[in-house]
Amino acid sequence: MAALQQIPISLQPKIPSPKAQFLHKPSTLSFSATFPSLRLASAHTRLRNPAAGARMSATAAGSYAAALADVAKSNGTLDATSADVEKIDKMFSDEGVFKFFSNPTVDLEKKRGLVDEISASSALQPHTANFLNILIEAKRTDLIKDIVKEFEMVYNRLTDTELATVSSVVKLEPQHLAQIAKQVQKLTGAKNVRIKTAIDPTLVAGFTIRYGNAGSKLIDMSVKKQLEDIAAQLDLGDIQLTV
């Protein structure tokens, strides 16, 4: 399938307040002070009821994302924070990085030290770096990927942005992506359109565009779709066509 190019706490339950501010010194992070209204399931609860734990984790990811977006909006860095979140997403897509921060046996200071290095090399904004430190302190880096998805949705809503994922066999030229963005804007009436690209060899040729709520709408201009349509018309059933 296409691969887009785009981490249990035992603390007393607590969710980011919309007015929460991220602290600037990792050594003085206060989880309860920064997220006074967080409501997370304890490790014991998740073990007894995995389904309930999954639902609460999803709620927690949304709350973290909303808190980060609120801080970014309040200090006028929403676009820059969105760029930071994309960098974090790419960074935690590395299995080694994800395991390092998720490993409970790794010393907290070592994790903070790596965050400092990453923040410097990736030019992350101070509140984004502090946000990562808060997740580390709260043992919630397992939520990173979900937080990224939730933040993206919050960002798109705040900026009236439509996200379109374009999948193709080979990388499309910028001018082609610009044309696709214009068409999606016409279809949706959105103020802005963001394009994400994915490589999908199964399409044979052509491309697909997914947009709308959770990618619910599809424009399929792939050769694969054309072959499937031909097969259906000829009633070829399970016969597989090769190119």
Side-chain angles (χ1 to χ4, degrees), residues 75-183:
N75 61 25
T77 62
L78 196 55
D79 288 339
T81 302
S82 178
D84 283 353
V85 171
E86 290 185 4
K87 294 175 185 177
I88 291 172
D89 183 29
K90 189 172 183 178
M91 178 197 338
F92 277 81
S93 293
D94 185 302
E95 187 176 355
V97 173
F98 185 86
K99 287 183 175 179
F100 175 83
F101 283 106
S102 299
N103 191 343
T105 66
V106 176
D107 184 74
L108 186 61
E109 290 305 316
K110 289 184 178 179
K111 294 180 179 180
R112 288 173 174 167
L114 183 55
V115 167
D116 289 341
E117 292 180 22
I118 290 171
S119 300
S121 63
S122 301
L124 296 182
Q125 298 172 94
H127 67 266
T128 306
N130 289 332
F131 179 73
L132 280 177
N133 277 309
I134 286 171
L135 293 179
I136 291 169
E137 180 125 326
K139 298 181 176 65
R140 293 272 63 179
T141 50
D142 61 301
L143 294 176
I144 283 287
K145 302 299 289 186
D146 290 331
I147 291 172
V148 168
K149 293 177 182 178
E150 293 288 341
F151 181 88
E152 187 175 75
M153 289 190 288
V154 174
Y155 172 86
N156 291 344
R157 185 165 61 251
L158 290 173
T159 59
D160 189 15
T161 297
E162 183 72 32
L163 174 65
T165 300
V166 179
S167 300
S168 57
V169 178
V170 296
K171 185 177 180 180
L172 297 180
E173 295 297 326
Q175 62 266 29
H176 297 148
L177 295 176
Q179 291 175 356
I180 291 173
K182 288 182 180 179
Q183 291 303 315

Side-chain angles (χ1 to χ4, degrees), residues 160-164 180-194 209-213 217 219:
D160 189 15
T161 297
E162 183 72 32
L163 174 65
I180 291 173
K182 288 182 180 179
Q183 291 303 315
V184 172
Q185 189 173 40
K186 287 181 180 179
L187 289 170
T188 63
K191 182 179 180 180
N192 307 292
V193 175
R194 294 178 65 203
I209 307 169
R210 282 202 174 274
Y211 66 100
N213 185 26
K217 297 182 179 180
I219 299 174

